[in-house]
Amino acid sequence: RGVFAREDAWLPTGDLFRRDSDGDYWRVDSVREVIRTANGPVFSAPIRDALSDLPAVDLAVAYGVLPDGGEHEVAVAAVTLRHGHQLRPRELAAAMRVLPHDRRPAIVRVVDRIPVTTWYRPVTGPLREQGIPEPAPGVHAWYLDASGENYRQLTDAAHRRLAKTAA
């Protein structure tokens, strides 16, 4: 009580906010959803929001994957697609340009299903447990190239580099 004004009350929720130039507060993430990468914290909510703006995307999540023996997480996003739609790397790169280079996901993948709770809140645990997706026929995954501007089809070399960078 009495933190911001006399006789006010607040409750610790674990939500993180930013304050804009008008003094308004905007939620950026929850403490437990922050992805701790080698480049610093990456917030999952802005990634989800940017991906959800794409017409092809039905549901989007972002989460961190900690490779075996790694110290830092790799930011990964997973999306499901609307029926009959495809996600193209150019559209993906354009959507991610609203985020600073170091706050973009290193990998974006298409999955058949994102599990949800009874309240339809996405659950990232099962996706996180799958780790960094490996390139294979039928796997639709892209990595953020060295320029930080473009997404390219995930290759074995990129997969090895991402796993090594996180260590």
Side-chain angles (χ1 to χ4, degrees), residues 59-79:
L59 184 59
V61 294
Y63 51 92
V65 172
L66 185 63
D68 292 337
E71 293 179 29
H72 300 100
E73 294 177 305
V74 173
V76 179
V79 299

Side-chain angles (χ1 to χ4, degrees), residues 6-156:
R6 187 180 171 133
E7 298 185 23
D8 72 353
W10 65 282
L11 170 69
T13 63
D15 289 327
L16 301 171
F17 293 85
R18 70 172 175 82
R19 189 174 181 184
D20 68 15
S21 59
D22 294 328
D24 296 323
Y25 291 90
W26 297 88
R27 184 181 183 277
V28 293
D29 223 339
S30 74
V31 170
R32 73 182 203 300
E33 292 177 332
V34 175
I35 304 163
R36 290 159 178 84
T37 71
N39 293 329
V42 172
F43 301 118
S44 62
I47 294 171
R48 286 192 312 263
D49 292 345
L51 289 169
S52 295
D53 285 342
L54 290 167
V57 172
D58 185 38
L59 184 59
V61 294
Y63 51 92
V65 172
L66 185 63
D68 292 337
E71 293 179 29
H72 300 100
E73 294 177 305
V74 173
V76 179
V79 299
T80 58
L81 301 180
R82 296 180 193 277
H83 182 72
H85 285 81
Q86 292 181 344
L87 183 59
R88 293 180 175 81
R90 191 171 359 143
E91 297 165 340
L92 177 58
M96 292 294 101
R97 285 193 187 107
V98 300
L99 303 173
H101 291 103
D102 58 348
R103 301 300 179 251
R104 297 175 186 174
I107 298 174
V108 177
R109 64 188 287 211
V110 174
V111 295
D112 292 332
R113 181 178 161 285
I114 295 173
V116 295
T117 66
T118 307
W119 304 276
Y120 299 100
R121 183 180 179 123
V123 178
T124 59
L127 295 168
R128 183 179 288 114
E129 290 171 8
Q130 293 174 10
I132 298 173
E134 294 190 31
V139 171
H140 300 285
W142 300 271
Y143 74 96
L144 184 61
D145 70 9
S147 74
E149 290 294 331
N150 299 303
Y151 282 86
R152 307 208 183 279
Q153 186 69 36
L154 185 62
T155 62
D156 288 327

